[in-house]
Amino acid sequence: MAEAAADTGTPVEKQRQRSRQIWLSRAGWDSLYNEAYDLVLPNRRPGGKGKSKSPVQMIFDMTGPNSAMHCAGEIQRQMFPASTPFNIETGSLVAQKLQAKEKIAWDKKLQGVASFVYPFMKTGAYDDSMHEACTDLTIGTGVVLPLKGPSMNEPVRFICIPQDECAIGQDAWGRVNYVSWKRCNLGREAIVEAWPNGSYTDEFKRLAKSKPYDEVTVYQDFFRLPDGRWRFCVYLEREGGFIAQETYRTQPVAVMRFYRWPGEAYGRGPVLFALPTIKTVNK
């Protein structure tokens, strides 16, 4: 009966149902991650639906926090070294099918793309978002979303999605095929500002004027389509249809895991492995 009901639902209702299942699967990780944040990174994004908490309630020793920040910086330097130009070459599998002259031509084209992209990676926003993601990565999972900027002064925006606002789904082979970003602290006015051309109900428009700062829960979901493209959609938790939708040729959001056990969607970082010692030291 439940499956039949789901089949007769609207697309946005099916999306809500799918998202609820993804978040239900994530629930078991909350206590594990939240304990790590409490003991090592209490001033980082708070756990528990984005609501603030009193930081530094459980820390009596700074070894864990200092080590995590040092580790995040080291990860960033190894993955995204500063002032290092991009070098892109034809992949080995493609190169096997090309003649020597064709490979040289492809390398030149790819290097042109690298030279064009490199300046965007020298911005402070990129460095900040990557360091935030690497900080989350010390605990296990980091997520970064690049967005098209509003003007040439800000051509690309880089956003680190807090791990407590993100749920991840996998396909039958353990590949990421679904990322749900849940915001619980956005006012209606902020939602309209983010998607000014979005589709809203008359009731939402009325409340956006009369109660613009009341917080509502909004989902931004990214999921892979059967043909390999990715779909993006925005919707409220309980009302209305899709506010906005967009299709991408490639995965639009980066999901990083420090170390992942087979079958698990979320990562385990050095903080989780060291957590027993960190708890003992704080005792």
Side-chain angles (χ1 to χ4, degrees), residues 85-86 88 108-122 152 155-156:
F86 286 178
I88 305 179
K108 288 182 179 180
K109 291 181 180 180
L110 291 174
Q111 195 55 44
V113 173
S115 300
F116 175 79
V117 170
Y118 177 60
F120 300 129
M121 307 301 171
K122 289 179 66 66
M152 281 301 297
V156 182

Side-chain angles (χ1 to χ4, degrees), residues 32-264:
L32 182 66
Y33 275 172
N34 288 346
E35 185 177 35
Y37 277 95
D38 286 340
L39 287 165
V40 178
L41 297 171
N43 293 300
R44 180 66 175 114
R45 183 72 182 153
K49 298 185 178 180
K51 301 299 181 181
S52 61
K53 64 180 180 181
S54 300
V56 200
Q57 297 182 81
M58 303 171 62
I59 295 181
F60 298 89
D61 177 80
M62 283 300 295
T63 304
N66 288 340
S67 298
M69 295 305 294
H70 176 77
C71 180
E74 190 62 31
I75 294 173
Q76 184 181 17
R77 282 189 291 273
Q78 291 183 16
M79 295 175 61
F80 316 101
S83 302
T84 301
F86 286 178
N87 290 305
I88 305 179
E89 295 181 350
T90 307
S92 57
L93 295 178
V94 176
Q96 291 178 5
K97 298 184 177 182
L98 299 177
Q99 297 180 0
K101 292 182 179 180
E102 292 176 326
K103 183 180 181 303
I104 292 174
W106 271 105
D107 286 343
K108 288 182 179 180
K109 291 181 180 180
L110 291 174
Q111 195 55 44
V113 173
S115 300
F116 175 79
V117 170
Y118 177 60
F120 300 129
M121 307 301 171
K122 289 179 66 66
T123 64
Y126 177 75
D127 288 338
D128 287 345
S129 63
M130 293 314 304
H131 188 269
E132 292 172 4
C134 290
T135 302
D136 282 334
L137 208 56
T138 63
I139 290 180
T141 303
V143 184
V144 175
L145 174 65
L147 292 175
K148 181 180 179 181
S151 66
M152 281 301 297
N153 294 327
E154 190 183 9
V156 182
R157 290 174 174 170
F158 296 94
I159 300 170
C160 175
I161 301 178
Q163 65 83 24
D164 66 312
E165 293 184 352
C166 187
I168 304 167
Q170 299 182 117
D171 64 11
W173 295 273
R175 300 174 301 177
V176 172
N177 68 347
Y178 194 102
V179 180
S180 179
W181 182 9
K182 179 169 67 172
R183 297 292 306 274
C184 300
N185 54 356
L186 282 184
R188 292 184 178 87
E189 183 181 69
I191 294 174
V192 174
E193 181 183 2
W195 297 281
N197 299 319
S199 177
Y200 303 99
T201 63
D202 293 337
E203 178 67 8
F204 183 91
K205 293 177 182 178
R206 184 185 67 80
L207 291 173
K209 294 180 179 180
S210 61
K211 299 180 179 180
Y213 309 117
D214 282 4
E215 294 180 350
V216 296
T217 300
V218 60
Y219 287 81
Q220 301 176 62
D221 289 356
F222 305 83
F223 55 93
R224 192 174 67 228
L225 299 172
D227 62 2
R229 296 179 301 164
W230 280 70
R231 188 73 170 166
F232 166 69
C233 59
V234 188
Y235 55 94
L236 300 180
E237 184 176 33
R238 300 183 184 279
E239 61 182 276
F242 289 123
I243 295 173
Q245 299 184 75
E246 189 171 353
T247 301
Y248 298 88
R249 295 177 62 185
T250 58
Q251 183 173 334
V253 58
V255 179
M256 303 176 288
R257 281 73 59 88
F258 186 92
Y259 181 83
R260 186 177 70 91
W261 291 109
E264 292 183 342

Side-chain angles (χ1 to χ4, degrees), residues 10-54:
T10 64
V12 70
E13 290 171 348
K14 291 180 179 180
Q15 191 68 29
R16 289 190 178 102
Q17 183 181 23
R18 185 180 184 186
S19 183
R20 281 195 294 269
Q21 184 59 47
I22 294 293
W23 278 96
L24 182 63
S25 300
R26 185 221 146 82
W29 289 82
D30 287 341
S31 60
L32 182 66
Y33 275 172
N34 288 346
E35 185 177 35
Y37 277 95
D38 286 340
L39 287 165
V40 178
L41 297 171
N43 293 300
R44 180 66 175 114
R45 183 72 182 153
K49 298 185 178 180
K51 301 299 181 181
S52 61
K53 64 180 180 181
S54 300

